[in-house]
Amino acid sequence: MVVTSINNSANNMQEQRLRSVITEASRAAAEAAKKELKLDEVSSLKVTHGKLSNLKPKVRTFVEESARLCRPDNIYICDGSERELRHLLNVMQQVGMIEPLPKYKNCWLARTDAGDVARVESKTFIVTKDKRETVPAGKEGVKSMLANWMSPQDLKKAVAERFPGCMAGRTMYVVPYSMGPVGSPLSKIGVQVTDSPYVVASMRTMTRMGEQVLATLGDQEFVHCLHSVGCPLPLARPLVNNWPCDPARTIVTHVPETNEIISFGSGYGGNSLLGKKCFALRLGSTLARQEGWLAEHMLILGITNPQGVKRYIAAAFPSACGKTNLAMMTPSLPGYKIECVGDDIAWMKFDEDGVLRAINPENGFFGVAPGTSMKTNPIAMKTVLSNTIFTNVAKTSDGGIFWEGLEKETPNNVSIRSWLGEENWSAESGRPAAHPNSRFCTPAGQCPIIDPAWEDPAGVPISAILFGGRRPEGVPLVYEAYDWKHGVLVGAAMRSEATAAAEHKAKVIMHDPFAMRPFFGYNFGHYLSHWLSMETRTTKPMPKIFHVNWFRKDEKGRFIWPGFGENVRVLDWILRRVEGEDVAEESAIGLLPSPGSLNMTNLDTNQINLHELFRLPKGFWEGEVRAIAKYFEEQVGDDLPNEVHEQLKKLEKRVEKM
Ligand code: OXD
Ligand code: MN
């Protein structure tokens, strides 16, 4: 419950702050239960694993309050051990939530209710007292695409309608976890309570989870994460695929002021593994702004050139645009080596010397399965062959996995069962075998090219930042921003074809600034000011900013650039720019590779139309400038920083002169 002050007294300033929603809701639920004389449900907490008395007082209070509210049958405090994982897998196997994939080592398949397959952006909210803290000024009457706001009062109501008794008959797991290496000054801690063993097993892969986290917590604050699939027992309706969820009442909420995440009704992905999008990006971006760092939707890779010089690059692409593929790339140019630090999220902070350093706050990869193959990402294929939970992929009759893209790697004599359970599936059905947003959840540490410094508590120094997206038309393979401010415009102006990671229809070109549109924890205009301010926080040169596009198509709809391992050619050019080589020339939109500077060794230049790859059609760029200006006016309005407005004007002038 959230209390706003009705007392005007100046002494009561404390009252003006949001109180913990979970605390308030739990007190209200306890009162209500007492009135109904269900005293024992309120007072006796059955703990089947771990001890409440071993928890730090703040954690204990959070756990007790959550239990009072959700009224689980019992509480299980996770230690993160291998034994515990076995127990969770057993529990899930017994209730039919997962099945083994005997072709691989310790791999499992979960199939969800078809109503719970992706992030639900329309049901995801940031809760602030003042709407403007969350939603930019925008144009009157235009719906904001940049944030969903909820008032504290509405959250209080939503919680009261959903959570009391929502874990009845189930186990409430207590999951202490660290985003980032345990004990790193860049890391942060969360405690999630959840009634889903699938979530616990996945959080164990995606975060550092268990006893060691509680041991380092001390008296520090932590993010309070309350999650329920919303299916108390006895069930009100039969489950589909033994996958508890309540899609009609799903809600994913974030309260930056009290560092709470409250999620109900979905057991899948970013809706329920609360360390990922909810903590590391939405609350993370708010914390980053307050504390002067950046929490971004970016992969981090290490690249070593044939001379042995190693640099780290961070890159922001929208969901399902190939971040995992780039982070694990097998480079086609001899002598190059790529190593992976992370494939989805980067937390970046200046060190004492003013160098921007990044950690991957995650501990695993929650990658999109379809399209991943020995051709597109052999490293990911090797990574997922053990200790992996697959969700909504198809299963082969020899106990293996199948998804679109694996046709050539699947023996002919096996039959395929689709994610929907159709036996003897064939492509002729017209339905995909695997859901387009089906995933693998696999430990990062077993990636064959994991970077030796991926868990370095100090993070890795970032030399370049890439923005990109799926742009079938008009946008060149690579260009460099003129300076940091121009780079901020490039990030703000990002657009991409929609993907299956959320509930949008594919093939629409959507604005996705900084690839953060679904993940901003606060007003995007303020976010831009924060990005602009970063260059004033160091005396060192900022990382150079680039825009890349692997997805340009010709008039017949075929990709012009081969992509994947060949993208190292673009990284090679970027590294040379980072080293200060004079291999760029000015254009209206930024610096382009000067003729002959893109390394095309061993590529058939007759097959690749370089001219088309870098062509800048004036009409297209005029349209692009208009679209960006309209977007800023409608979506950001008065909250757009002047510098960004000026950068857009400069771009417009340069495009006029093209
Ligand atoms: C993801 C996403 O799951 O961006 O990483 O949707
Ligand atoms: Mn992502």
Side-chain angles (χ1 to χ4, degrees):
M1 187 199 303
V2 172
V3 173
T4 43
S5 174
I6 43 165
N7 182 343
N8 284 337
S9 137
N11 311 342
N12 248 338
M13 284 304 282
Q14 277 308 99
E15 285 291 310
Q16 301 279 348
R17 291 178 55 78
L18 283 178
R19 287 216 197 116
S20 160
V21 180
I22 298 159
T23 309
E24 295 292 327
S26 131
R27 280 187 197 147
E31 283 309 311
K34 268 187 210 150
K35 276 193 202 128
E36 288 172 34
L37 290 175
K38 290 188 188 153
L39 281 171
D40 49 344
E41 280 184 36
V42 179
S43 56
S44 67
L45 299 176
K46 188 163 86 200
V47 180
T48 55
H49 187 263
K51 280 204 176 106
L52 282 176
S53 57
N54 284 352
L55 298 176
K56 299 273 160 42
K58 285 180 188 162
V59 179
R60 180 172 181 164
T61 306
F62 170 56
V63 170
E64 288 176 345
E65 283 173 348
S66 303
R68 270 209 299 265
L69 175 62
C70 304
R71 281 183 247 138
D73 173 71
N74 60 82
I75 299 176
Y76 181 110
I77 302 170
C78 297
D79 58 23
S81 64
E82 192 62 38
R83 192 158 161 246
E84 176 175 284
L85 177 65
R86 295 280 136 224
H87 164 73
L88 294 165
L89 292 168
N90 269 338
V91 167
M92 286 192 276
Q93 202 179 351
Q94 265 165 31
V95 297
M97 234 182 151
I98 58 168
E99 59 185 300
L101 291 165
K103 195 166 171 183
Y104 320 111
K105 197 172 145 232
N106 191 28
C107 286
W108 302 85
L109 171 63
R111 291 192 293 129
T112 70
D113 183 318
D116 190 21
V117 291
R119 286 186 285 101
V120 280
E121 289 174 13
S122 55
K123 296 173 179 186
T124 299
F125 298 91
I126 307 290
V127 180
T128 48
K129 270 185 281 183
D130 179 3
K131 184 173 177 184
R132 187 80 172 262
E133 277 178 52
T134 301
V135 185
K139 190 169 166 181
E140 281 263 342
V142 178
K143 182 180 166 352
S144 174
M145 300 300 290
L146 281 165
N148 275 338
W149 173 77
M150 185 181 271
S151 71
Q153 290 74 13
D154 284 350
L155 175 62
K156 176 179 145 187
K157 193 160 162 270
V159 169
E161 282 167 2
R162 287 167 175 79
F163 279 89
C166 67
M167 294 186 187
R170 297 192 182 275
T171 299
M172 183 178 98
Y173 298 92
V174 178
V175 184
Y177 66 97
S178 171
M179 296 313 290
V182 178
S184 158
L186 285 91
S187 299
K188 298 212 178 274
I189 288 176
V191 177
Q192 176 163 349
V193 298
T194 176
D195 52 4
S196 164
Y198 168 91
V199 166
V200 182
S202 307
M203 286 290 285
R204 185 177 183 274
T205 297
M206 295 307 299
T207 71
R208 280 91 178 169
M209 184 274 259
E211 262 166 17
Q212 74 282 21
V213 176
L214 284 179
T216 50
L217 179 63
D219 206 26
Q220 281 171 60
E221 283 309 327
F222 57 94
V223 172
H224 295 210
C225 308
L226 171 59
H227 169 253
S228 171
V229 291
C231 288
L233 299 174
L235 291 171
R237 63 170 179 103
L239 298 182
V240 179
N241 287 337
N242 302 307
W243 181 267
C245 62
D246 186 354
R249 298 202 304 153
T250 292
I251 188 167
V252 184
T253 65
H254 311 71
V255 193
E257 187 170 344
T258 51
N259 275 325
E260 287 173 286
I261 301 166
I262 303 172
S263 165
F264 183 93
S266 166
Y268 194 49
N271 302 328
S272 68
L273 313 182
L274 300 184
K276 192 173 182 59
K277 304 300 182 181
C278 300
F279 181 167
L281 289 178
R282 299 199 187 93
L283 289 188
S285 60
T286 309
L287 289 166
R289 179 186 180 216
Q290 284 159 7
E291 298 169 5
W293 50 281
L294 296 170
E296 300 299 327
H297 192 201
M298 290 181 181
L299 67 89
I300 310 164
L301 62 80
I303 174 164
T304 310
N305 72 10
Q307 292 71 45
V309 179
K310 182 162 190 182
R311 300 274 176 245
Y312 288 95
I313 294 177
F317 307 151
S319 307
C321 281
K323 283 209 300 298
T324 308
N325 290 347
L326 184 63
M328 297 180 192
M329 184 218 280
T330 306
S332 68
L333 282 178
Y336 266 97
K337 181 155 95 183
I338 301 281
E339 286 160 299
C340 175
V341 177
D343 79 330
D344 197 42
I345 299 176
W347 281 0
M348 300 188 284
K349 205 174 194 166
F350 291 113
D351 65 13
E352 284 146 20
D353 300 325
V355 175
L356 193 64
R357 302 185 79 93
I359 58 163
N360 167 15
E362 300 191 281
N363 187 49
F365 306 121
F366 187 67
V368 176
T372 311
S373 68
M374 285 308 279
K375 182 161 171 265
T376 60
N377 193 340
I379 300 295
M381 291 305 289
K382 288 180 194 147
T383 309
V384 303
L385 292 183
S386 57
N387 309 316
T388 299
I389 301 181
F390 295 90
T391 305
N392 286 341
V393 305
K395 185 179 176 187
T396 54
S397 51
D398 62 346
I401 36 131
F402 178 81
W403 51 70
E404 280 53 38
L406 286 188
E407 290 79 359
K408 294 202 185 110
E409 292 164 37
T410 304
N412 286 332
N413 60 343
V414 299
S415 63
I416 292 171
R417 189 193 67 199
S418 77
W419 78 280
L420 286 169
E422 300 156 278
E423 298 292 349
N424 298 313
W425 171 91
S426 92
E428 275 136 43
S429 70
R431 289 179 294 275
H435 186 277
N437 189 38
S438 53
R439 300 275 180 153
F440 50 79
C441 178
T442 194
Q446 64 187 39
C447 173
I449 58 159
I450 199 73
D451 192 87
W454 86 284
E455 297 197 278
D456 187 336
V460 296
I462 296 297
S463 298
I465 294 176
L466 275 48
F467 296 122
R470 286 178 188 268
R471 299 305 308 265
E473 250 189 276
V475 180
L477 181 63
V478 58
Y479 65 94
E480 179 185 329
Y482 283 116
D483 54 25
W484 184 256
K485 289 191 181 65
H486 179 214
V488 173
L489 171 71
V490 173
M494 273 170 69
R495 301 172 74 194
S496 186
E497 240 172 30
T499 70
E503 73 263 61
H504 306 288
K505 297 257 178 310
K507 303 290 171 220
V508 192
I509 305 281
M510 291 175 55
H511 289 270
D512 193 348
F514 292 79
M516 281 286 284
R517 184 193 47 76
F519 309 122
F520 290 119
Y522 64 98
N523 181 318
F524 170 57
H526 303 165
Y527 169 95
L528 288 173
S529 305
H530 179 53
W531 259 78
L532 288 165
S533 79
M534 289 303 281
E535 68 173 340
T536 65
R537 296 172 194 265
T538 179
T539 50
K540 292 264 164 37
M542 292 301 282
K544 280 181 180 291
I545 296 181
F546 299 82
H547 188 281
V548 298
N549 175 29
W550 325 132
F551 300 97
R552 194 161 180 175
K553 291 184 175 165
D554 64 15
E555 67 292 343
K556 293 206 177 106
R558 294 170 306 200
F559 289 114
I560 308 180
W561 179 248
F564 304 109
E566 304 296 354
N567 292 336
V568 71
R569 297 167 193 277
V570 176
L571 300 188
D572 163 75
W573 183 78
I574 287 171
L575 286 193
R576 283 152 67 201
R577 289 298 300 150
V578 166
E579 301 308 325
E581 272 190 54
D582 181 12
V583 286
E585 63 180 28
E586 292 189 2
S587 82
I589 66 166
L591 296 161
L592 293 176
S594 46
S597 65
L598 195 66
N599 184 340
M600 297 294 280
T601 318
N602 296 336
L603 256 193
D604 185 353
T605 33
N606 295 323
Q607 295 286 308
I608 295 171
N609 187 343
L610 275 180
H611 173 75
E612 191 53 28
L613 207 48
F614 285 100
R615 194 166 66 88
L616 301 179
K618 181 167 182 180
F620 171 88
W621 278 95
E622 283 169 343
E624 194 70 5
V625 168
R626 274 196 304 276
I628 301 163
K630 180 164 182 274
Y631 186 70
F632 286 169
E633 189 198 326
E634 291 187 351
Q635 294 290 327
V636 202
D638 286 349
D639 286 329
L640 189 77
N642 261 338
E643 288 99 319
V644 177
H645 183 71
E646 277 160 23
Q647 286 295 327
L648 181 58
K649 284 274 150 226
K650 284 188 187 165
L651 173 65
E652 188 178 11
K653 287 221 172 76
R654 293 194 303 259
V655 168
E656 255 169 38
K657 287 202 214 117
M658 269 166 99

